[in-house]
Amino acid sequence: MGQPVRDYLLTLCVTAAVTYLLTGPVRKFAIAVGAMPAIRARDVHREPTPRLGGIAMFGGLCAGLIVADHLHNLKSVFELSNEPRALLSGAALIWLIGVLDDKFELDALIKLGAQMIAAAVMVIQGLTILWLPIPGIGTVALTQWQGTLLTVALVVVTINAVNFVDGLDGLAAGMVCIASAAFFLYAYRLWFGNMIEAAAPATLFTAILMGMCLGFLPHNMHPARIFMGDSGSMLIGLVLAAAAISVTGQVDPDTMRIFEGSERGATHAMLPVFIPLLLPLTIIAIPAADLILAIVRRTWNGQSPFAADRGHLHHRLLEIGHSHSRAVLIMYFWSALIAFGAVGYSVHSASMWIVFVIVAASAVGLILLLMPRFTPRTPHWANRFVPPRYRHRAKEQASSPSYDEKPATVGSGAQQGPADAQMGEEGPERAPVAVGVSGVNGATAIGARSRFPERRSIDSSR
């Protein structure tokens, strides 16, 4: 069992390394081709920042699949299943549409159609839902049309849920990485714990997805030097949906009968992360909830469900006083709690201590939500290991402006403090900032525009 773990770790590391190394050149390419739109009123960042980060992530995906195809313990996934090729085909299509959208701002209906076509491409090549485990009934086989429609719906919902939550630096990549880690543990347990070979593709997909996110995060953490754009958010959403479809619609509950005593017992035991319609909601519950709330809010206000606004969950965290970084960490916390809680419950559904742990962690999360201005300070011996805002400052610096109060130099990409993240400083309406009028080293949280009095053009010689 140790050898497959090393193979997965190698695949993850290669994917992360390729993604990380490609992101720098991709950033320069995005600046050169002008894939750096002006700041809109709903945006949180303050400087025009290049997109097209999905190009590097797609390169990491391809590298991960190539490496896995040449590893002894993972090669069987490509020999016994056509799902990796189906994933690559659908990913290539959705990635191409995303690249065009990052550059030319495609219409929302065109992107929706492309998402459905990408899902159909995967269905044609065999990556589809074949049956559903229904509580109290057992396995229900689906017709071809039923499986196709359910697969397309699952892909579209997951892609848009990830795309909707991509509003803060490092938020989407980090949340998907957390969901992938929980999903990997679940799929790996099915494959090597219960010896279910059909779970092998999903295990590989989630390992590669973790590598894609981990390789991109160093460039995307606040202040971000590059955004993944739709080319990245739709790509990782499709990979996550493909893993859910693979492990849910392809694994027959009959294969687990000997472990639970009956097919009906197996269905009940694996229910928390087994039904396809619930799996994306348990794994990415935060972005899915954000998606549903956004549709209801916009429809209630007489707007199109695809109309952009500043009412997402991460925007509301900033409104109540959380800094940019803390809002992202809070979203990470809730994603990890829901994803790992669901996986833990699927393993030991009869253990009450899991419920108590989830309730206690939820209480801690609520306290963090209600204390936006609390800034913890670390011991002196740990100063070198934490960000500057959490360090103890020398007494002689007490009278000087704090780190959070120092204005950032234009184009320096310096991180700003909690006060800069509050929306109330400017209100919801902000004048757009033209592309190329400021440095493009990264996005910063919202702050008073007067703190950026000088604008200088981008030096093309750098």
Side-chain angles (χ1 to χ4, degrees), residues 156-165 281 285-298 305-306 312-313:
V156 171
V157 169
T158 307
I159 288 177
N160 285 281
V162 176
N163 192 21
F164 270 46
V165 83
L281 301 182
I286 299 299
D290 195 18
L291 170 63
I292 295 175
L293 291 175
I295 293 177
V296 173
R297 179 179 65 253
R298 294 165 185 174
F306 303 101
H312 293 296
L313 295 178

Side-chain angles (χ1 to χ4, degrees), residues 101-102 111 115 156-167 172 176 228-234 236-237 284 287 290-291 312 314:
D101 178 67
D102 289 342
K111 291 190 292 184
Q115 295 168 8
V156 171
V157 169
T158 307
I159 288 177
N160 285 281
V162 176
N163 192 21
F164 270 46
V165 83
D166 185 23
V176 172
M228 66 172 65
D230 281 3
S231 59
S233 61
M234 292 197 299
I236 60 178
I284 53 171
D290 195 18
L291 170 63
H312 293 296
H314 49 271

Side-chain angles (χ1 to χ4, degrees), residues 414-444:
Q415 184 173 348
Q416 300 184 29
D420 299 323
Q422 300 181 29
M423 287 187 176
E425 297 182 7
E426 295 182 0
E429 298 298 331
R430 296 185 296 155
V433 178
V435 178
V437 300
S438 175
V440 292
N441 286 340
T444 55

Side-chain angles (χ1 to χ4, degrees), residues 133-140 263-264 267-268:
I134 306 298
I137 299 177
T139 303
V140 176
E263 179 181 347
R264 182 173 298 182
T267 300
H268 281 289

Side-chain angles (χ1 to χ4, degrees), residues 133-180:
I134 306 298
I137 299 177
T139 303
V140 176
L142 300 178
T143 64
Q144 182 178 0
W145 279 107
Q146 289 174 338
T148 300
L149 292 177
L150 187 56
T151 301
V152 171
L154 184 63
V155 170
V156 171
V157 169
T158 307
I159 288 177
N160 285 281
V162 176
N163 192 21
F164 270 46
V165 83
D166 185 23
L168 297 179
D169 298 348
L171 182 57
M175 292 181 65
V176 172
C177 184
I178 292 171
S180 302

